[in-house]
Amino acid sequence: MTDLISDDYVPPRDDWMKRGGEDNGLIPIYQPQNPRWPGWQKNTSWEWASRMLTAEATKIVWVGPNGKWWDLAGNLRGRQGVVAVNEITGLGLAPWEHKFSEGPYIAGATLERTDIKKRVITFGVVLNPNTNRMDKRQYTSSFKYRALEAQWWASFSRTQFGFLGFFSRYTGWRWIKCILSSDSLTGTHSLDPVAFKNNSAQYDISLTAVDPYFYKPPFHRTWKFDPETIEIGKDGFAEGKITLANRGEVTSSPLYIVSCPGQAKISDGPDRWIELPETSTADKFYMVDTNENMKTLNGAVDPVDNPFYRFIRQSGLADFFLHDLAQKGLPLWRRWDDPQEFEYAAGPKMAVTAKVRHDYPGAEITMILPQRYESAWG
């Protein structure tokens, strides 16, 4: 066997060598291994690694609105005292419903449209402080169970969303935003949970996801208007390109974060340009959402409308003398003279290139592309 430094033959074991010593000869990098404990050789061998490290079971975690993390399934299941049981439903393709039209003069039916519906995920959980395999202690007191149940239900809300996460070695982490559904059975007991020192209870959990897709962290890239390296066009705008890949399974619309002041333009397809409103330093930055179902412009400092601003704008004389004050009460999208909608999006397993322009030196435009998937691990 040879090392990476020379062609000298070295023994089959402890063959990681380096130059050193008085004669600059080959010396072992590591100390000779102990036969009773192979050391680094054992820790770098997949076959010798522990089951905790080599586990390939699917991980399921719940992260509540309060930020509390719960390991429900996988190699760390029950670490906080809660494990998932029974079957789990609602993890496949996003729910859909076909709309057909039928009539006496049509053979069969005609597909009019397909609606993507909300997703409902159901599963059971068992609360028991002794399900933590990493804690060898056995808890017989009811106080540990009572504290566990209080913490579990504190991780849900009727008005705030949490995140259900799934991990496999093939797909990595995928997350879906959910809220507790009224279909959950949160208080049905046939026996006192602490009777006979059981300190255990089982519940049926139902979560509703208004957005039925699973997400991975989005890709993002920033273009900066550097007047020393980028040529300025005759119209006073500098132009650049941003390319991102959609590795997801669902078409995704990009988002843009645009700095202020100045004016920006973003391409929609190969030839169409969307001209955005002019901004000042007070606007700081704004977001452009190209999803047709969302509001296109969202300013970082958009004011909250109130009766005072509405009175100023409705009074023609006051508007004439106090034009700046009236404009201050308008959100950025109301100051957009020519509002338009974006049409192009990034298809699944495809890359999208957007051309961007800005007229203020040092300005930045960041493109963000969500990564959406149909199922939890498929």
Side-chain angles (χ1 to χ4, degrees):
M1 184 179 297
T2 58
D3 66 295
L4 300 179
I5 300 178
S6 70
D7 294 331
D8 299 334
Y9 178 79
V10 294
R13 302 293 289 180
D14 296 329
D15 57 346
W16 290 69
M17 314 293 285
K18 69 176 181 179
R19 294 287 185 182
E22 297 180 356
D23 57 352
N24 199 29
L26 291 175
I27 60 175
I29 294 178
Y30 301 96
Q31 296 295 325
Q33 63 179 349
N34 186 340
R36 298 180 60 187
W37 180 255
W40 69 271
Q41 288 90 342
K42 176 180 176 65
N43 294 332
T44 56
S45 174
W46 178 263
E47 289 75 14
W48 290 0
S50 66
R51 293 177 58 187
M52 185 67 68
L53 297 177
T54 60
E56 298 184 2
T58 303
K59 295 182 182 180
I60 304 177
V61 301
W62 168 253
V63 181
N66 59 354
K68 176 70 174 179
W69 179 291
W70 300 88
D71 292 284
L72 303 179
N75 59 329
L76 296 176
R77 65 185 180 274
R79 191 158 60 104
Q80 297 81 12
V82 180
V83 295
V85 296
N86 299 339
E87 64 178 9
I88 181 169
T89 66
L91 303 183
L93 300 179
W96 74 93
E97 181 180 356
H98 292 312
K99 298 294 185 179
F100 298 94
S101 62
E102 299 177 284
Y105 304 104
I106 300 177
T110 301
L111 177 61
E112 296 292 345
R113 70 175 192 273
T114 300
D115 296 339
I116 304 298
K117 318 295 278 188
K118 69 178 185 295
R119 184 190 295 269
V120 177
I121 300 175
T122 63
F123 56 93
V125 294
V126 168
L127 280 62
N128 190 318
N130 295 318
T131 59
N132 185 358
R133 298 185 301 167
M134 304 180 69
D135 189 352
K136 302 303 181 182
R137 295 172 295 181
Q138 292 294 316
Y139 297 96
T140 59
S141 171
S142 63
F143 286 90
K144 184 70 174 179
Y145 163 77
R146 300 294 189 189
L148 170 63
E149 181 152 8
Q151 292 176 3
W152 170 251
W153 293 118
S155 297
F156 292 91
S157 172
R158 297 185 181 91
T159 57
Q160 293 181 304
F161 287 83
F163 291 89
L164 194 64
F166 300 84
F167 176 85
S168 71
R169 293 190 179 273
Y170 181 78
T171 60
W173 282 104
R174 293 182 183 179
W175 299 89
I176 188 168
K177 186 169 71 172
C178 305
I179 194 169
L180 186 65
S181 173
S182 59
D183 296 334
S184 302
L185 299 180
T186 61
T188 301
H189 300 279
S190 57
L191 186 67
D192 185 358
V194 299
F196 310 108
K197 295 186 178 182
N198 288 332
N199 298 326
S200 179
Q202 181 171 343
Y203 299 101
D204 293 329
I205 303 299
S206 178
L207 302 176
T208 300
V210 294
D211 184 347
Y213 297 117
F214 293 85
Y215 284 78
K216 294 177 74 70
F219 293 160
H220 61 88
R221 183 168 295 173
T222 300
W223 171 83
K224 185 174 182 179
F225 178 7
D226 186 354
E228 296 183 359
T229 58
I230 300 177
E231 182 179 355
I232 302 177
K234 296 181 180 179
D235 57 354
F237 285 82
E239 182 176 323
K241 293 183 178 180
I242 305 176
T243 300
L244 290 177
N246 179 15
R247 296 182 181 177
E249 303 166 345
V250 183
T251 299
S252 290
S253 301
L255 298 89
Y256 300 90
I257 305 296
V258 184
S259 65
C260 302
Q263 186 179 21
K265 299 179 182 179
I266 299 177
S267 67
D268 182 37
D271 303 318
R272 183 169 177 255
W273 285 90
I274 303 295
E275 187 173 325
L276 301 173
E278 296 185 4
T279 60
S280 64
T281 306
D283 290 314
K284 296 184 178 180
F285 62 90
Y286 60 94
M287 182 181 70
V288 181
D289 194 339
T290 64
N291 189 332
E292 61 181 2
N293 298 320
M294 305 299 291
K295 188 171 70 173
T296 305
L297 286 185
N298 296 273
V301 292
D302 277 351
V304 178
D305 209 1
N306 56 53
F308 172 73
Y309 284 127
R310 288 196 293 270
F311 170 77
I312 290 295
R313 290 195 301 273
Q314 292 170 3
S315 175
L317 183 61
D319 184 53
F320 179 79
F321 289 105
L322 304 174
H323 178 269
D324 293 338
L325 182 60
Q327 289 296 317
K328 185 178 179 181
L330 287 176
L332 185 62
W333 67 270
R334 291 281 301 274
R335 290 180 270 148
W336 195 4
D337 295 333
D338 186 20
Q340 301 180 54
E341 291 186 351
F342 289 81
E343 298 176 357
Y344 280 79
K349 309 297 182 182
M350 296 179 61
V352 59
T353 299
K355 293 183 291 185
V356 295
R357 293 176 180 175
H358 210 292
D359 64 354
Y360 189 81
E364 295 183 353
I365 299 178
T366 300
M367 180 180 178
I368 304 173
L369 189 60
Q371 309 292 308
R372 305 192 296 175
Y373 295 82
E374 285 273 0
S375 60
W377 57 73

